Amino acid sequence: MMKVASLFKFWLMIGFAAGSPLTKVGAPSTHFDYTNPQKWEEHESNCAGQHQSPININTDEVIVTNYPKFIFQNYDLVFPESLENNGHTVELKIDNEDDEDDLPSISGGGLDDRYNFAQLHFHWDEGLLGSEHTINRQKYSAELHVVHYNTKYGSFDNAVPHADGLAVLGILIDLQARDNIAFRHLEQFDKIIDPSRTISDRLQFSVPLVDLLPDSTESFFRYNGSLTTPGCNEDVIWTVFETPIAISVRQLAKFRLLNDENGMPLRKNVRPTQMLHDRVVTYRPDPNPIQSLFSFPSNLPNLFKPFSNEFQQSNF
Ligand SMILES: *[C@@H]1O[C@H](CO)[C@@H](O)[C@H](O)[C@H]1NC(C)=O
Protein backbone atom coordinates (compact mmCIF):
# COMPACT_ATOMS: atom_id res chain seq x y z
CA MET A 1 0.00 0.00 0.00
CA MET A 2 2.82 2.38 0.91
CA LYS A 3 4.41 1.85 -2.45
CA VAL A 4 1.20 2.64 -4.33
CA ALA A 5 0.72 5.85 -2.33
CA SER A 6 4.26 7.02 -3.12
CA LEU A 7 3.88 6.29 -6.79
CA PHE A 8 0.63 8.22 -6.79
CA LYS A 9 2.44 11.21 -5.25
CA PHE A 10 5.12 10.88 -7.87
CA TRP A 11 2.63 11.04 -10.73
CA LEU A 12 0.86 13.98 -9.09
CA MET A 13 4.18 15.82 -9.11
CA ILE A 14 4.78 14.98 -12.74
CA GLY A 15 1.30 16.27 -13.47
CA PHE A 16 2.04 19.61 -11.82
CA ALA A 17 5.44 19.90 -13.44
CA ALA A 18 3.94 19.23 -16.87
CA GLY A 19 2.06 22.53 -16.50
CA SER A 20 -1.04 23.77 -18.19
CA PRO A 21 -2.86 24.26 -21.49
CA LEU A 22 -2.68 26.86 -24.34
CA THR A 23 -4.81 29.26 -26.52
CA LYS A 24 -4.81 31.38 -29.78
CA VAL A 25 -6.00 34.61 -31.69
CA GLY A 26 -7.87 35.65 -34.95
CA ALA A 27 -9.07 38.51 -37.14
CA PRO A 28 -12.53 39.58 -38.28
CA SER A 29 -14.29 39.16 -41.63
CA THR A 30 -17.88 38.85 -42.89
CA HIS A 31 -20.19 35.84 -42.44
CA PHE A 32 -18.65 32.73 -40.95
CA ASP A 33 -18.99 30.78 -37.77
CA TYR A 34 -17.19 28.12 -35.77
CA THR A 35 -19.65 25.23 -36.15
CA ASN A 36 -17.60 23.90 -39.09
CA PRO A 37 -14.36 25.81 -39.77
CA GLN A 38 -13.39 23.11 -42.33
CA LYS A 39 -16.02 24.66 -44.61
CA TRP A 40 -14.50 28.15 -44.62
CA GLU A 41 -12.48 27.19 -47.71
CA GLU A 42 -15.70 26.79 -49.73
CA HIS A 43 -16.04 30.57 -49.67
CA GLU A 44 -12.43 31.58 -49.04
CA SER A 45 -9.89 29.59 -51.05
CA ASN A 46 -7.08 31.08 -48.92
CA CYS A 47 -8.34 28.98 -46.01
CA ALA A 48 -7.24 25.83 -47.89
CA GLY A 49 -3.67 27.16 -48.25
CA GLN A 50 -0.45 25.46 -47.15
CA HIS A 51 0.67 28.16 -44.69
CA GLN A 52 -2.36 28.47 -42.44
CA SER A 53 -2.73 29.29 -38.76
CA PRO A 54 -2.99 28.34 -35.98
CA ILE A 55 -0.53 25.45 -35.66
CA ASN A 56 0.70 23.06 -33.03
CA ILE A 57 4.25 23.94 -31.98
CA ASN A 58 6.29 20.81 -31.33
CA THR A 59 9.15 22.02 -29.14
CA ASP A 60 11.29 19.01 -30.16
CA GLU A 61 11.28 20.26 -33.75
CA VAL A 62 11.84 24.01 -33.39
CA ILE A 63 15.03 25.51 -34.78
CA VAL A 64 16.85 27.64 -32.20
CA THR A 65 17.62 30.97 -33.84
CA ASN A 66 19.68 33.94 -32.77
CA TYR A 67 17.00 36.68 -32.93
CA PRO A 68 17.52 40.01 -31.17
CA LYS A 69 15.01 40.92 -28.48
CA PHE A 70 11.79 42.78 -29.26
CA ILE A 71 11.55 46.57 -29.05
CA PHE A 72 8.12 47.79 -27.93
CA GLN A 73 7.54 51.46 -28.72
CA ASN A 74 4.75 53.46 -27.05
CA TYR A 75 3.43 50.26 -25.51
CA ASP A 76 3.46 52.07 -22.17
CA LEU A 77 1.38 55.05 -23.37
CA VAL A 78 -2.31 55.54 -22.57
CA PHE A 79 -4.53 56.11 -25.64
CA PRO A 80 -8.31 56.41 -25.91
CA GLU A 81 -9.44 52.83 -26.58
CA SER A 82 -12.72 51.32 -27.80
CA LEU A 83 -14.13 47.81 -27.64
CA GLU A 84 -16.21 46.29 -30.43
CA ASN A 85 -18.07 42.99 -30.67
CA ASN A 86 -17.79 42.03 -34.36
CA GLY A 87 -19.78 38.81 -33.92
CA HIS A 88 -16.63 36.66 -33.94
CA THR A 89 -14.57 38.17 -31.15
CA VAL A 90 -14.19 41.24 -29.00
CA GLU A 91 -11.73 43.67 -30.52
CA LEU A 92 -9.88 46.57 -28.93
CA LYS A 93 -8.80 49.51 -31.08
CA ILE A 94 -6.99 52.75 -30.36
CA ASP A 95 -9.01 55.83 -31.33
CA ASN A 96 -6.41 58.00 -32.99
CA GLU A 97 -7.86 60.16 -35.73
CA ASP A 98 -4.58 61.80 -36.65
CA ASP A 99 -1.24 60.41 -35.60
CA GLU A 100 -0.07 57.07 -37.05
CA ASP A 101 3.47 57.88 -35.89
CA ASP A 102 2.47 57.84 -32.24
CA LEU A 103 0.80 54.41 -32.34
CA PRO A 104 2.32 51.61 -30.31
CA SER A 105 4.67 49.63 -32.53
CA ILE A 106 7.03 46.68 -32.48
CA SER A 107 10.41 46.16 -34.12
CA GLY A 108 13.44 43.94 -33.50
CA GLY A 109 12.69 40.36 -32.55
CA GLY A 110 13.88 39.28 -36.01
CA LEU A 111 11.36 41.50 -37.83
CA ASP A 112 12.91 43.43 -40.74
CA ASP A 113 10.55 46.41 -40.40
CA ARG A 114 8.58 48.36 -37.85
CA TYR A 115 4.96 47.25 -37.35
CA ASN A 116 2.21 49.53 -35.99
CA PHE A 117 -0.56 48.35 -33.69
CA ALA A 118 -3.86 47.79 -35.57
CA GLN A 119 -6.11 45.95 -33.07
CA LEU A 120 -6.14 43.19 -30.52
CA HIS A 121 -8.72 40.48 -29.95
CA PHE A 122 -9.32 37.21 -28.11
CA HIS A 123 -10.07 33.54 -28.69
CA TRP A 124 -11.84 31.33 -26.16
CA ASP A 125 -13.82 28.11 -25.92
CA GLU A 126 -16.73 26.66 -23.93
CA GLY A 127 -14.37 24.93 -21.51
CA LEU A 128 -11.07 26.05 -20.10
CA LEU A 129 -9.07 25.13 -23.23
CA GLY A 130 -9.63 27.97 -25.69
CA SER A 131 -6.22 28.76 -27.17
CA GLU A 132 -5.76 28.52 -30.93
CA HIS A 133 -2.04 27.71 -30.90
CA THR A 134 -1.01 24.63 -28.98
CA ILE A 135 2.42 23.72 -27.61
CA ASN A 136 3.16 20.01 -27.78
CA ARG A 137 -0.59 19.54 -28.38
CA GLN A 138 -1.46 21.31 -25.11
CA LYS A 139 -4.01 24.07 -25.17
CA TYR A 140 -4.05 27.08 -22.88
CA SER A 141 -7.29 28.62 -21.57
CA ALA A 142 -7.56 31.43 -24.11
CA GLU A 143 -5.38 33.41 -26.50
CA LEU A 144 -4.78 37.10 -27.17
CA HIS A 145 -3.76 38.26 -30.65
CA VAL A 146 -2.12 41.67 -30.92
CA VAL A 147 -2.26 42.56 -34.64
CA HIS A 148 0.25 44.96 -36.27
CA TYR A 149 0.77 46.12 -39.86
CA ASN A 150 4.06 46.81 -41.61
CA THR A 151 4.62 50.60 -41.56
CA LYS A 152 6.29 50.45 -44.98
CA TYR A 153 2.84 49.82 -46.51
CA GLY A 154 1.29 52.82 -44.70
CA SER A 155 -1.95 51.23 -43.48
CA PHE A 156 -3.48 47.93 -42.40
CA ASP A 157 -5.51 47.62 -45.64
CA ASN A 158 -2.47 48.26 -47.83
CA ALA A 159 -0.37 45.80 -45.84
CA VAL A 160 -2.82 42.85 -46.01
CA PRO A 161 -1.89 41.68 -49.56
CA HIS A 162 1.83 41.35 -48.69
CA ALA A 163 3.55 38.26 -47.22
CA ASP A 164 5.34 40.51 -44.70
CA GLY A 165 2.29 42.74 -44.25
CA LEU A 166 1.21 41.76 -40.74
CA ALA A 167 2.96 40.79 -37.52
CA VAL A 168 0.76 39.21 -34.88
CA LEU A 169 1.82 38.57 -31.29
CA GLY A 170 0.12 35.45 -29.97
CA ILE A 171 -0.13 35.56 -26.20
CA LEU A 172 -1.30 32.43 -24.44
CA ILE A 173 -3.66 32.89 -21.51
CA ASP A 174 -3.49 30.68 -18.45
CA LEU A 175 -5.74 30.66 -15.39
CA GLN A 176 -4.86 32.03 -11.98
CA ALA A 177 -6.87 32.35 -8.76
CA ARG A 178 -6.84 36.15 -8.69
CA ASP A 179 -8.09 38.62 -11.30
CA ASN A 180 -5.67 40.15 -13.80
CA ILE A 181 -5.98 43.88 -13.03
CA ALA A 182 -5.46 44.91 -16.67
CA PHE A 183 -8.47 42.81 -17.68
CA ARG A 184 -10.67 44.49 -15.04
CA HIS A 185 -10.60 47.60 -17.18
CA LEU A 186 -10.90 45.65 -20.41
CA GLU A 187 -13.76 43.31 -19.49
CA GLN A 188 -16.47 46.01 -19.59
CA PHE A 189 -18.67 44.22 -22.12
CA ASP A 190 -22.14 45.40 -20.98
CA LYS A 191 -22.75 47.73 -23.94
CA ILE A 192 -21.39 45.35 -26.58
CA ILE A 193 -23.14 42.09 -25.68
CA ASP A 194 -24.65 42.05 -29.18
CA PRO A 195 -22.48 42.63 -32.26
CA SER A 196 -22.65 45.93 -34.08
CA ARG A 197 -20.51 47.58 -36.70
CA THR A 198 -21.58 51.01 -35.52
CA ILE A 199 -21.52 50.71 -31.75
CA SER A 200 -18.19 50.56 -30.06
CA ASP A 201 -17.71 51.36 -26.44
CA ARG A 202 -15.03 53.78 -25.28
CA LEU A 203 -13.17 52.24 -22.36
CA GLN A 204 -13.49 54.25 -19.17
CA PHE A 205 -9.94 53.33 -18.16
CA SER A 206 -7.56 52.69 -21.03
CA VAL A 207 -5.17 49.77 -20.76
CA PRO A 208 -1.58 50.46 -21.86
CA LEU A 209 -0.65 47.57 -24.16
CA VAL A 210 2.37 46.74 -22.01
CA ASP A 211 -0.06 45.58 -19.29
CA LEU A 212 -1.24 42.77 -21.59
CA LEU A 213 2.26 41.47 -22.39
CA PRO A 214 3.72 38.44 -20.60
CA ASP A 215 6.20 39.08 -17.77
CA SER A 216 8.92 37.96 -20.14
CA THR A 217 8.95 38.54 -23.89
CA GLU A 218 12.48 37.15 -24.19
CA SER A 219 11.58 33.69 -25.45
CA PHE A 220 9.25 33.15 -28.38
CA PHE A 221 8.34 30.92 -31.30
CA ARG A 222 8.27 32.32 -34.85
CA TYR A 223 6.69 31.02 -38.05
CA ASN A 224 5.02 32.28 -41.25
CA GLY A 225 1.27 31.84 -41.25
CA SER A 226 -2.14 33.38 -41.78
CA LEU A 227 -5.09 35.12 -40.21
CA THR A 228 -7.00 32.49 -38.22
CA THR A 229 -10.34 33.74 -39.56
CA PRO A 230 -11.64 34.15 -43.15
CA GLY A 231 -10.11 35.49 -45.46
CA CYS A 232 -7.23 33.40 -43.95
CA ASN A 233 -4.69 35.64 -45.74
CA GLU A 234 -1.17 34.16 -45.61
CA ASP A 235 0.46 37.43 -44.67
CA VAL A 236 1.28 37.05 -40.98
CA ILE A 237 4.69 36.78 -39.35
CA TRP A 238 3.64 34.97 -36.18
CA THR A 239 5.27 35.35 -32.79
CA VAL A 240 3.98 33.11 -30.02
CA PHE A 241 5.51 34.05 -26.68
CA GLU A 242 6.58 31.15 -24.52
CA THR A 243 5.48 32.89 -21.30
CA PRO A 244 1.69 33.11 -20.91
CA ILE A 245 -0.35 35.78 -19.18
CA ALA A 246 -3.09 34.77 -16.74
CA ILE A 247 -6.68 35.70 -15.87
CA SER A 248 -9.23 34.33 -13.41
CA VAL A 249 -12.04 31.91 -14.30
CA ARG A 250 -14.47 34.74 -13.55
CA GLN A 251 -12.76 36.98 -16.12
CA LEU A 252 -12.65 34.21 -18.73
CA ALA A 253 -16.40 33.65 -18.24
CA LYS A 254 -17.07 37.29 -19.23
CA PHE A 255 -16.06 36.54 -22.82
CA ARG A 256 -18.72 33.83 -23.08
CA LEU A 257 -21.46 36.35 -22.27
CA LEU A 258 -21.01 37.97 -25.69
CA ASN A 259 -23.47 37.13 -28.45
CA ASP A 260 -22.81 36.33 -32.11
CA GLU A 261 -24.57 37.75 -35.19
CA ASN A 262 -27.60 35.50 -34.59
CA GLY A 263 -28.03 36.65 -31.01
CA MET A 264 -26.70 33.31 -29.79
CA PRO A 265 -23.94 33.11 -27.15
CA LEU A 266 -20.47 33.24 -28.77
CA ARG A 267 -19.34 30.16 -26.90
CA LYS A 268 -16.22 29.44 -28.88
CA ASN A 269 -14.10 31.09 -31.54
CA VAL A 270 -11.19 28.71 -31.98
CA ARG A 271 -9.98 27.45 -35.35
CA PRO A 272 -8.42 23.96 -35.19
CA THR A 273 -4.65 23.72 -35.68
CA GLN A 274 -3.52 23.54 -39.31
CA MET A 275 -0.86 21.38 -41.00
CA LEU A 276 2.70 22.73 -40.98
CA HIS A 277 3.45 21.46 -44.53
CA ASP A 278 6.86 22.81 -45.67
CA ARG A 279 7.21 25.34 -42.87
CA VAL A 280 9.61 25.47 -39.96
CA VAL A 281 9.09 26.99 -36.52
CA THR A 282 12.05 28.89 -35.11
CA TYR A 283 12.63 29.61 -31.43
CA ARG A 284 14.41 32.32 -29.49
CA PRO A 285 15.32 30.98 -26.03
CA ASP A 286 15.59 33.37 -23.09
CA PRO A 287 19.33 34.20 -22.97
CA ASN A 288 19.17 34.78 -19.17
CA PRO A 289 16.45 32.57 -17.73
CA ILE A 290 15.46 33.35 -14.15
CA GLN A 291 16.66 30.55 -11.91
CA SER A 292 13.74 28.76 -10.39
CA LEU A 293 13.67 26.17 -7.64
CA PHE A 294 13.98 23.48 -10.27
CA SER A 295 17.01 25.12 -11.89
CA PHE A 296 19.26 24.48 -8.90
CA PRO A 297 20.76 21.04 -9.37
CA SER A 298 21.68 20.99 -5.65
CA ASN A 299 17.98 20.85 -4.76
CA LEU A 300 17.25 17.88 -6.92
CA PRO A 301 18.79 15.05 -4.89
CA ASN A 302 16.76 15.93 -1.76
CA LEU A 303 13.63 16.55 -3.71
CA PHE A 304 13.69 13.27 -5.57
CA LYS A 305 15.37 11.01 -3.02
CA PRO A 306 12.21 9.39 -1.61
CA PHE A 307 11.00 8.57 -5.07
CA SER A 308 14.29 7.31 -6.47
CA ASN A 309 14.62 5.01 -3.43
CA GLU A 310 11.19 3.71 -4.21
CA PHE A 311 12.27 2.95 -7.75
CA GLN A 312 15.42 1.18 -6.67
CA GLN A 313 13.43 -1.10 -4.39
CA SER A 314 10.79 -1.94 -6.90
CA ASN A 315 10.98 -4.08 -10.01
CA PHE A 316 11.14 -1.26 -12.57
C1 LIG B 1 9.22 33.46 -43.50
O1 LIG B 1 9.29 33.75 -44.86
C2 LIG B 1 10.40 34.58 -45.22
C3 LIG B 1 10.26 34.92 -46.70
O2 LIG B 1 10.14 33.75 -47.45
C4 LIG B 1 11.70 33.86 -44.89
O3 LIG B 1 12.80 34.68 -45.20
C5 LIG B 1 11.71 33.53 -43.39
O4 LIG B 1 12.87 32.80 -43.06
C6 LIG B 1 10.46 32.75 -43.00
N1 LIG B 1 10.43 32.61 -41.56
C7 LIG B 1 10.46 31.43 -40.94
C8 LIG B 1 10.43 31.49 -39.44
O5 LIG B 1 10.50 30.37 -41.52
Side-chain angles (χ1 to χ4, degrees), residues 67 112 163 222-224 237 279-282:
Y67 293 121
D112 289 337
R222 163 69 44 77
Y223 76 98
N224 291 327
I237 300 174
R279 291 176 291 178
V280 294
V281 179
T282 55

Side-chain angles (χ1 to χ4, degrees), residues 134-288:
T134 60
I135 295 184
N136 299 329
R137 294 277 158 214
Q138 279 210 304
K139 275 181 176 274
Y140 281 74
S141 293
E143 189 167 324
L144 160 60
H145 290 175
V146 190
V147 181
H148 305 75
Y149 65 88
N150 195 327
T151 55
K152 78 179 180 189
Y153 300 122
S155 72
F156 179 85
D157 289 345
N158 290 340
V160 162
H162 300 276
D164 60 353
L166 304 181
V168 182
L169 305 181
I171 299 174
L172 300 162
I173 305 181
D174 227 338
L175 293 179
Q176 65 186 7
R178 61 185 192 282
D179 279 355
N180 179 327
I181 301 297
F183 278 76
R184 276 206 201 152
H185 299 315
L186 200 144
E187 66 190 21
Q188 305 300 319
F189 299 159
D190 297 357
K191 296 190 184 123
I192 56 160
I193 294 295
D194 287 299
S196 165
R197 283 179 212 294
T198 49
I199 298 173
S200 59
D201 190 34
R202 176 69 61 89
L203 277 189
Q204 198 177 356
F205 298 101
S206 291
V207 183
L209 296 189
V210 68
D211 289 1
L212 299 171
L213 290 177
D215 288 342
S216 170
T217 54
E218 293 286 336
S219 59
F220 57 81
F221 304 98
R222 163 69 44 77
Y223 76 98
N224 291 327
S226 73
L227 300 178
T228 66
T229 55
C232 305
N233 308 58
E234 294 184 342
D235 56 3
V236 179
I237 300 174
W238 272 99
T239 300
V240 178
F241 289 114
E242 188 171 26
T243 306
I245 60 172
I247 62 175
S248 64
V249 172
R250 183 197 70 78
Q251 291 180 308
L252 182 61
K254 284 250 178 179
F255 288 91
R256 297 198 205 93
L257 296 176
L258 296 165
N259 286 339
D260 66 13
E261 289 163 325
N262 302 316
M264 301 297 286
L266 183 51
R267 288 203 190 87
K268 66 171 285 181
N269 57 3
V270 175
R271 187 187 196 195
T273 53
Q274 305 292 302
M275 301 283 284
L276 202 54
H277 294 293
D278 63 352
R279 291 176 291 178
V280 294
V281 179
T282 55
Y283 173 57
R284 180 190 198 262
D286 185 343
N288 300 300

